[in-house]
Amino acid sequence: MTTAWPVVLVDGDVLLRPIRMRDQREWREVNRRNREWLRPWEATVPPPAPGMPPGRRPTYRQMVRHLRAEANAGRMLPFVVEYRGRMAGQLTVAGITWGSMCSGHVGYWVDSEVAGHGVMPTAVALATDHCFRTVGLHRMEVCIRPENGPSRRVVEKLGFREEGLRPRYLHIDGAWRDHLVFALTAEEVPEGLLARWHRTRRRDAA
């Protein structure tokens, strides 16, 4: 199996491309401006087991090396999201599993300056179509904290199904947090998720 990596995905003003070492300065600037906006939803390092040293967040270069290695191994698709030529966020398809499951899960964040402009729904739709049509996955999941209204609106706009609650699923903002599971299978979007998203936007604009 292959993840067809590296790949660039484009729809209008939204572009997904592989994250690069030379993105460090812009990535840090976008994160700095959005620190308070992102803090309640970002993964944190959990307390260490007894007798173990405390964990540390990776540096930017360590993060990119890890993402590249996972992509080359067929387990991940790490993208930078651009909007009108500028970095606007990050989207990663992680936990790619083959065999009888053929699934992956999507995580993302977006610059608050472009939130509400349809950037992230478009990005998720692009990545999902790539995973279903090119990579060959069957199921995509998104796990979101119940309190994260903007992120929930992304998957609701795209028609992901809510499947239930995973208690204390991820360590976020200093504690183990519950997450809601949203999912979509390839059979549910035979015309493609991006086409369905375009149709929804036209309907809402009418």
Side-chain angles (χ1 to χ4, degrees), residues 3 10 12 18 35 37-38 41 43 45 50 52 66 68 75-76 83 97 105 116 121 130 133 141 146 159 185 198:
T3 54
V10 185
R35 189 166 296 145
W37 161 261
L38 298 174
W41 324 119
V45 179
M52 298 296 291
H66 170 72
R68 283 181 174 177
R75 294 187 291 263
M76 187 178 286
Y83 179 61
T97 304
H105 58 261
H130 176 70
R133 295 177 164 186
E141 272 191 12
T185 61
H198 285 169

Side-chain angles (χ1 to χ4, degrees), residues 167-189:
R168 297 171 297 282
Y169 179 62
L170 287 175
H171 201 271
I172 303 284
D173 192 26
W176 294 104
R177 309 290 185 176
D178 297 348
H179 280 64
L180 291 170
V181 184
F182 298 84
L184 195 67
T185 61
E187 293 90 345
E188 294 173 88
V189 282

Side-chain angles (χ1 to χ4, degrees), residues 75-154:
R75 294 187 291 263
M76 187 178 286
L77 295 169
F79 293 104
V80 156
V81 180
E82 290 188 359
Y83 179 61
R84 296 180 177 175
R86 298 181 60 182
M87 184 181 293
Q90 195 171 343
L91 181 149
T92 302
V93 182
I96 293 175
T97 304
W98 303 106
S100 57
M101 183 171 283
C102 287
S103 74
H105 58 261
V106 183
Y108 50 82
W109 60 264
V110 68
D111 187 342
S112 61
E113 290 187 358
V114 301
H117 289 72
V119 176
M120 199 48 68
T122 301
V124 173
L126 281 167
T128 299
D129 281 351
H130 176 70
C131 287
F132 285 163
R133 295 177 164 186
T134 303
V135 178
L137 297 184
H138 172 253
R139 173 185 165 91
M140 297 288 281
E141 272 191 12
V142 185
C143 295
I144 302 170
R145 286 188 61 184
E147 305 89 348
N148 192 344
S151 191
R152 290 179 64 176
R153 283 192 289 275
V154 169

Side-chain angles (χ1 to χ4, degrees), residues 19 21 27 57-69 90:
I19 191 169
M21 286 293 185
W27 187 92
R57 289 182 64 88
T59 66
Y60 177 85
R61 297 183 69 84
Q62 288 170 337
M63 176 189 72
V64 172
R65 281 196 295 266
H66 170 72
L67 294 176
R68 283 181 174 177
Q90 195 171 343

